[in-house]
Every structure is written in structure tokens, then in C-alpha cells.
Amino acid sequence: MNHNKIFFGARLHLAGWYAGVMGIILTLSGVGIYQVMAHAHWQAVDRELESVAGTLHDSLEPLLQQSDRIDPSVQQILPNLCVIGEQCDRESSTRHILGAIQQDSFYALFLTRSGTLIATVGKPPLGIVPQIGQEAWQTIEDREGNRYHQISLLLKDNSGKSWGYLQVGRSLADYDHHLEQSKLILIVSLPIAFLIVSIASWCLAGMAMRPVYASYSQIQQFTADAAHELRTPLAAIRATVESVLNSDSLSELESRDVLQTINRQTIRLSQLVQDLLLLSRIDLQLLSLQKKSCCLNEIASDLVEEVAALAIQAEIELNFKVISDSPLYVTGNEDQLYRLMLNILINAIYYTPEQGKVEVSLNRLDHYAIIQIQDTGIGIDSIDLPCIFDRFYRVNSDRSRKKGGSGLGLAISMAIAKVHNGNIQVQSELGQGSTFTIRLPLAS
Ligand code: ADP
């Protein structure tokens, strides 16, 4: 297929489109998954902060007595609290009720109502002056580019008056690291996935085009064979006509001889054209439009009657046996069913030497009619058996040509059997004879 320019181009085109579309889908899916993942992760950060800040807020409020001032009782639940201007023990390892705030990534800031920082917990961002903004949620960045996410809550003292502000935040280092890693995986995996998709596209395009190429090759072979078959009688006619034109005078006997040669070749030509036409009509399924109930017993007995003279002439014993007790009916085209059996029976007579036997038998098996044409003829070599139903295939060209065959007889029979939902099987042994078994579904 790759040696054929048209098919190679078409395969490349198909694979390119397929890989392109798949590439776009993969990229969009990758970006989509990344966005969903980042959003889910961000929400988890928000929820965690909200929960820590809420717990801290609810635990502290009952302990606060005076605005803008940290009471000693606050230190009991936050042992690592560092009040600005006082000595702090940052390394305190005491566990307290708010375990989350003990984690390295979390911090809390206490601010006065005017926004002045008065105490910290954990490791707040370096070099950033805390501010109370309009927004409850803030994302900030320190001098080194580390990002932090924080929430600001208003604290009230135990008498219900506003005390100041609590800011709870966490470092976004692990979040950013996670997203960076996901981005890296996407950037590396997308080209790899695209490469795999491209290879798969090439293979799939090849698979999709294989049957098209097979039928294209078949048509090409068929055209070449048909042209070859047509050329032989045409060449014979031309040679005969040229020899007549080159001779000065012709006797009546010679003229008759020439005309007979031309007539013989013309008959062969028209037979070939008819066979080709019939095959193309079968291929186009035009025959299925003309189906009716046909009696195989009648067709077979007519056929045997018609070829009886040929059998006598060839000194062959021709027998007809009906094994089934009732007539066998199939739905189909009578002329074509006749032609199906005729081709096989003519072959059987032709390829059986004098004193041989040919038997036609009719039987029923389950829902099928079985027509067997058995001969004691020359038989077919096992190498040729799988090919004898191919168009223009001849085991022995010279012998077949003398018979007037073009190698289309069995191909036509098989095509007719297939159109009638049946098939033909053959068993043969060289020098012993052949048995052709036609199976056709019976009319319901
Ligand atoms: P043709 O019309 O040239 O005989 P067919 O398609 O009818 O072509 O048959 C194909 C080939 O099968 C023939 O060339 C012949 O060699 C072989 N063949 C068919 N029927 C028989 C048979 N009954 N015995 C031996 N050879 C056969």
C-alpha cells in the first residue's frame, strides 16, 4: 500500500488529521484536568484555613478582655504566641488545642483595630507589613517570591466590643510545588502521548485503508485480466483480417474458413463480455431485485436433460439422483441458479475423461438444499483448490481455453451462490475426481 503514491498520500492525510484532532483533544483534556485539579486544591486550602481561623476565633473571643491587648490567658492556648516587644520562645514544643497552627506552614497575626501588629504565632511572611484590607481573603508574596494565603477576621472581646483583627494564613509553597510538578508532568507527557497517538494514527489509517486498497488492487487485477482475455480473440481476429488483406485473391473455401475463424473469436468475445456483465450485475446486487420461489428439482432435471447430449458425445455416464422425498424450493433467480449449476456440470463433463462418470444429486439437510455434482475426472491439485473460485483463475490454461473457458465459470457460480445466501465447497483428489457441493437455504 505504501508503494502506491495515492494510497500513501491518503494514509498520511488521514493519519495527520486523526493525530491532529486527537492532539487537540488531548491538550484540551490535559489543560482541563490541570485547571480542575488546581481549583480543587485551592478550595481545600481555603477550607483548611477557614476551619483553623474559625476555631481560633471561637476559642479566643471569650478570653479577650481589653481592646488591642493580648491577655495572658491567650498564651495558655497559644504557647508559641510571640507578643511584639517581649521575649518569645519560638521553639516551644508544647502541643495545644489548635494543633494546625503549630504546623510550619501556618501562622496567625494579631492586629489592633487601627491595623498595628501586636502579636504573632508561627512563622509569618518576612518583610511584609500586615494590612487590614477590604477583602477577607488575601494572597500575598514576600521578598523571596514565596506566596501566602490568609484570611482576616474581626475579633470581639468578651463584652461584645470590637477588639482587633486576627489574620490566619499559610504558606502556599507546597501548593505551588504541587502545581509546578503537575505542569511538568503535563509538559513532558503531552508530547509523548502525541507521539503515541501519531504512531497509532498511522497504524489505524493503514488498517482502515487496507480493505479499500485490497478492493482497489482486486479491481486493478480484474481490469488487467479482463483486458488480457479480450486481447486474445481480438488479436486473432486482427491477424486473420490482416492475412486476408495481404493476400491477392481468396477462394470461396478460404473465405469461409476466414469467416468461421472470425465468427468463433466473436462468439468467444461476446461470451466473455456477457460473463463480465453478469459478474458486475451480481456485484452491484441488481439480481436480488428479481427473486422468486424456484424449484431446484425442475432446474436440475432440465439441466441434466440439456447436457445429456454433451455427455453422450464425450462418452461419459451422466446420472441424476433425487435423495430428498419432497421438492426443494429456494428463493432466487431461476436463470442464475440454472447458470450456477450449469457451469459446474459443464466443467465436470469437460474435465472427466471418456468412460468416466458424472452424478448430480439433490438432497435436503436441515434448512438447506444440497446439490452435489460429482465426477471421476482429472481432479484438482490441493495447491489450486483455494484459487479455483478466483476470477480468471485457470489450473490448466491451454485445456481450459480449448473448452472455451476464460476462468470466470466458477467465479460466476460462487457469486450467484453468495447472492442466494449459499456457498459452494469442493473436495478433489488429483486423478480421482472432484465433488462440488452447493448449499442453498430453502425457502421458508
Ligand atoms: P474455466 O471456465 O476456464 O474452466 P472455471 O472457473 O470454470 O474456468 O474453472 C477454473 C479452473 O478449475 C479450471 O481451469 C479447471 O482447471 C478447474 N476445474 C473446475 N472444475 C473442475 C473439475 N470438475 N475437475 C477438474 N478441474 C476443474
Side-chain angles (χ1 to χ4, degrees):
M1 178 164 48
N2 290 342
H3 304 302
N4 186 308
K5 236 179 172 181
I6 302 169
F7 276 86
F8 183 74
R11 185 179 180 182
L12 207 65
H13 204 71
L14 200 66
W17 270 101
Y18 188 75
V21 171
M22 283 304 287
I24 292 171
I25 293 174
L26 270 177
T27 311
L28 289 180
S29 310
V31 172
I33 290 170
Y34 174 81
Q35 295 287 358
V36 169
M37 208 179 63
H39 182 73
H41 210 64
W42 186 254
Q43 283 204 321
V45 168
D46 274 4
R47 267 199 308 275
E48 200 179 13
L49 263 181
E50 219 165 23
S51 151
V52 172
T55 315
L56 202 53
H57 174 273
D58 295 349
S59 318
L60 288 173
E61 270 194 344
L63 306 175
L64 301 173
Q65 288 171 7
Q66 199 185 339
S67 317
D68 303 337
R69 214 176 70 86
I70 300 285
D71 293 286
S73 54
V74 173
Q75 255 155 343
Q76 278 173 2
I77 64 163
L78 291 170
N80 51 350
L81 181 82
C82 180
V83 180
I84 305 293
E86 287 179 18
Q87 185 80 17
C88 322
D89 178 13
R90 284 193 180 275
E91 299 308 316
S92 168
S93 61
T94 326
R95 298 291 306 166
H96 49 80
I97 54 165
L98 293 160
I101 206 80
Q102 196 92 327
Q103 290 170 23
D104 265 0
S105 54
F106 280 85
Y107 64 87
L109 307 175
F110 290 88
L111 294 103
T112 61
R113 284 169 297 172
S114 56
T116 314
L117 181 67
I118 50 172
T120 63
V121 179
K123 290 177 184 162
L126 291 172
I128 292 180
V129 182
Q131 279 176 352
I132 300 300
Q134 298 286 325
E135 302 278 322
W137 289 100
Q138 281 177 308
T139 304
I140 49 178
E141 205 174 301
D142 70 10
R143 282 189 303 240
E144 283 150 18
N146 301 315
R147 298 197 313 143
Y148 298 85
H149 192 50
Q150 64 182 32
I151 182 169
S152 304
L153 297 173
L154 178 71
L155 283 175
K156 288 181 179 164
D157 61 20
N158 52 12
S159 61
K161 283 193 282 179
S162 63
W163 175 89
Y165 292 95
L166 166 70
Q167 278 186 342
V168 180
R170 57 161 293 173
S171 157
L172 290 177
D174 57 344
Y175 170 83
D176 286 341
H177 177 70
H178 187 76
L179 285 195
E180 270 309 311
Q181 273 197 329
S182 306
K183 226 185 267 178
L184 198 75
I185 290 170
L186 264 181
I187 289 168
V188 173
S189 61
L190 267 177
I192 295 172
F194 188 70
L195 188 77
I196 294 169
V197 163
S198 303
I199 296 169
S201 307
W202 180 252
C203 298
L204 285 176
M207 272 164 72
M209 293 191 61
R210 211 163 292 151
V212 184
Y213 183 69
S215 62
Y216 169 82
S217 308
Q218 216 175 345
I219 291 168
Q220 275 211 325
Q221 184 63 45
F222 182 73
T223 314
D225 289 343
H228 182 77
E229 287 300 322
L230 289 168
R231 205 178 55 179
T232 317
L234 282 173
I237 293 171
R238 197 175 154 193
T240 313
V241 171
E242 274 172 5
S243 72
V244 172
L245 289 174
N246 289 338
S247 64
D248 300 332
S249 64
L250 275 181
S251 67
E252 195 193 325
L253 194 71
E254 281 171 328
S255 313
R256 203 168 271 282
D257 215 30
V258 164
L259 287 175
Q260 264 172 1
T261 308
I262 294 175
N263 189 37
R264 222 178 19 252
Q265 297 301 339
T266 317
I267 291 171
R268 202 170 150 202
L269 263 179
S270 71
Q271 182 60 48
L272 185 62
V273 171
Q274 267 179 32
D275 284 354
L276 289 172
L277 207 64
L278 177 63
L279 267 176
S280 73
R281 286 181 70 206
I282 295 170
D283 285 347
L284 291 170
Q285 310 247 314
L286 293 178
L287 300 172
S288 57
L289 303 171
Q290 308 149 11
K291 282 183 177 174
K292 63 178 182 118
S293 183
C294 312
C295 180
L296 285 180
N297 299 55
E298 279 175 23
I299 297 174
S301 77
D302 283 358
L303 180 69
V304 171
E305 219 171 281
E306 194 183 311
V307 297
L310 194 71
I312 292 167
Q313 198 187 341
E315 293 180 38
I316 286 164
E317 185 185 326
L318 176 63
N319 296 316
F320 178 42
K321 210 161 72 181
V322 179
I323 301 166
S324 77
D325 34 13
S326 55
L328 302 172
Y329 285 92
V330 295
T331 309
N333 182 300
E334 208 169 274
D335 291 343
Q336 303 312 324
L337 289 170
Y338 188 86
R339 179 75 195 270
L340 188 171
M341 290 187 236
L342 179 73
N343 287 352
I344 297 174
L345 187 54
I346 294 277
N347 277 350
I349 292 172
Y350 186 77
Y351 295 109
T352 301
E354 288 172 6
Q355 313 308 326
K357 273 190 199 172
V358 173
E359 185 176 87
V360 180
S361 67
L362 269 187
N363 200 0
R364 171 200 297 265
L365 188 71
D366 300 328
H367 299 293
Y368 286 90
I370 308 290
I371 308 137
Q372 260 189 354
I373 299 171
Q374 202 170 2
D375 66 59
T376 56
I378 58 168
I380 305 162
D381 198 332
S382 55
I383 302 170
D384 296 305
L385 267 182
C387 313
I388 57 167
F389 293 100
D390 292 351
R391 292 169 187 195
F392 296 111
Y393 189 84
R394 284 182 291 216
V395 177
N396 183 335
S397 300
D398 290 347
R399 195 184 164 117
S400 178
R401 256 205 198 93
K402 272 187 217 143
K403 173 206 157 200
S406 54
L408 286 175
L410 288 181
I412 290 175
S413 293
M414 183 56 102
I416 296 172
K418 287 266 160 71
V419 166
H420 288 80
N421 301 317
N423 68 6
I424 307 172
Q425 281 171 342
V426 56
Q427 282 174 312
S428 188
E429 216 173 302
L430 217 53
Q432 299 294 311
S434 315
T435 304
F436 284 79
T437 308
I438 307 161
R439 257 165 78 98
L440 294 171
L442 288 167
S444 49

